[in-house]
Amino acid sequence: MVNNKYALIKEIKEYAIDNKIPIMRQDGIDFLTTFIIKHQVKNVLEIGSAIGYSAIMMSLCSPNLKVTTIERDEERYLEAIKNIKKLKLEDRITLIFNDALKTKIEGKYDLVFIDAAKAQNIKFFELFERNLTDGGFIITDNMYFHGLVHKNEKEIKSRNVRGIVRKIKDYITFLKNNDNYNTTIYDIGDGIAVSEKKARGGS
Ligand code: SAM
């Protein structure tokens, strides 16, 4: 049974590679799961499930953790449902098939994990920070956007990619200037931002 779990995770990763589905890198997953354990996170709201890989890895690292995750791509959502069933995590992972920007979530979460359309990060942050507990965290993946954020923009040929890189830079400025949070960007995986919500009235 234990071996079966690892075999299933391996299959999910292989499916992601074969179908060019972007999932978190191993060092990013290690960071996220260690963070969840260290901060005793009880529930996570994830924006961008893809095929359920990160939601599954987060659930497996902490036996009582609950994850709510939103995905707008139907094929990926259906694959995520299958994967979550295979790992028997249906009672701990709630999948929502919708555009996150059109989704209203009730309740509070210790951790909001943003891993969806990179150009929309500010919108996701502003929409879902209302779901964050005091002292909770917003974690955002791909802050380096495959290293392109550190490149001279003139070297980036695609106009579309240049636009995304600019939006990520705007997001970094937004996080740094946001007095309600302390943000650190870690040089792990593809760059991971951790924004800790300051306790009300405190610093
Ligand atoms: N967190 C996943 C993992 O590591 O296993 C990977 C997520 S992948 C990088 C980003 C996903 O976000 C894609 O599957 C994409 O369809 C989804 N997405 C992008 N914008 C979205 C939106 N506005 N609402 C819901 N899902 C969105």
Side-chain angles (χ1 to χ4, degrees), residues 1-3 8 21 54 58 60 113 117 128 133 150 165 172 195:
M1 189 61 195
V2 174
N3 283 339
L8 288 170
I21 292 164
S54 51
M58 288 191 277
L60 292 177
F113 174 46
F128 294 110
T133 52
H150 296 126
V165 167
I172 293 171
S195 308

Side-chain angles (χ1 to χ4, degrees), residues 24 27-37 46 54 58 61 111 113 139 192:
M24 269 199 113
D27 43 3
I29 283 288
D30 291 343
F31 176 85
L32 194 58
T33 51
T34 305
F35 187 94
I36 285 171
I37 294 165
E46 178 185 60
S54 51
M58 288 191 277
C61 83
L111 172 62
F113 174 46
I139 293 187
I192 295 181

Side-chain angles (χ1 to χ4, degrees), residues 44-70:
V44 180
L45 173 61
E46 178 185 60
I47 319 304
S49 341
I51 57 172
Y53 171 68
S54 51
I56 288 169
M57 296 307 282
M58 288 191 277
S59 305
L60 292 177
C61 83
S62 175
N64 296 315
L65 185 83
K66 299 246 182 195
V67 180
T68 299
T69 179
I70 312 172

Side-chain angles (χ1 to χ4, degrees), residues 91-123:
D91 56 337
R92 295 211 282 128
I93 302 177
T94 304
L95 262 164
I96 298 171
F97 171 46
N98 203 6
D99 183 335
L101 294 175
K102 295 179 184 152
T103 308
K104 196 163 185 286
I105 297 285
E106 301 292 341
K108 296 275 183 190
Y109 292 80
D110 304 327
L111 172 62
V112 173
F113 174 46
I114 302 176
D115 191 17
K118 305 303 158 191
Q120 309 285 330
N121 279 343
I122 295 180
K123 284 187 185 163

Side-chain angles (χ1 to χ4, degrees), residues 30-178:
D30 291 343
F31 176 85
L32 194 58
T33 51
T34 305
F35 187 94
I36 285 171
I37 294 165
K38 184 176 167 200
H39 294 276
Q40 299 178 356
V41 172
K42 298 276 179 294
N43 56 0
V44 180
L45 173 61
E46 178 185 60
I47 319 304
S49 341
I51 57 172
Y53 171 68
S54 51
I56 288 169
M57 296 307 282
M58 288 191 277
S59 305
L60 292 177
C61 83
S62 175
N64 296 315
L65 185 83
K66 299 246 182 195
V67 180
T68 299
T69 179
I70 312 172
E71 176 56 53
R72 69 177 173 189
D73 180 286
E74 189 169 17
E75 212 177 316
R76 292 180 183 181
Y77 162 78
L78 293 173
E79 193 62 29
I81 289 192
K82 269 199 251 165
N83 290 332
I84 288 161
K85 267 196 188 145
K86 278 187 203 162
L87 281 139
K88 301 189 171 40
L89 289 168
E90 305 99 303
D91 56 337
R92 295 211 282 128
I93 302 177
T94 304
L95 262 164
I96 298 171
F97 171 46
N98 203 6
D99 183 335
L101 294 175
K102 295 179 184 152
T103 308
K104 196 163 185 286
I105 297 285
E106 301 292 341
K108 296 275 183 190
Y109 292 80
D110 304 327
L111 172 62
V112 173
F113 174 46
I114 302 176
D115 191 17
K118 305 303 158 191
Q120 309 285 330
N121 279 343
I122 295 180
K123 284 187 185 163
F124 294 133
F125 191 106
E126 288 181 333
L127 184 60
F128 294 110
E129 66 170 329
R130 72 185 63 146
N131 294 102
L132 200 62
T133 52
D134 273 343
F137 300 91
I138 298 184
I139 293 187
T140 314
D141 193 25
N142 303 108
M143 297 303 293
Y144 297 161
F145 201 53
H146 320 294
L148 293 173
V149 166
H150 296 126
K151 249 192 167 177
N152 186 331
E153 273 185 32
K154 286 180 192 149
E155 290 175 49
I156 304 171
K157 292 206 172 67
S158 154
R159 204 171 145 214
N160 183 31
V161 173
R162 257 195 328 266
I164 297 173
V165 167
R166 259 182 225 142
K167 293 267 187 176
I168 294 175
K169 286 181 180 167
D170 290 347
Y171 184 56
I172 293 171
T173 307
F174 164 85
L175 292 177
K176 294 213 160 136
N177 293 337
N178 193 327

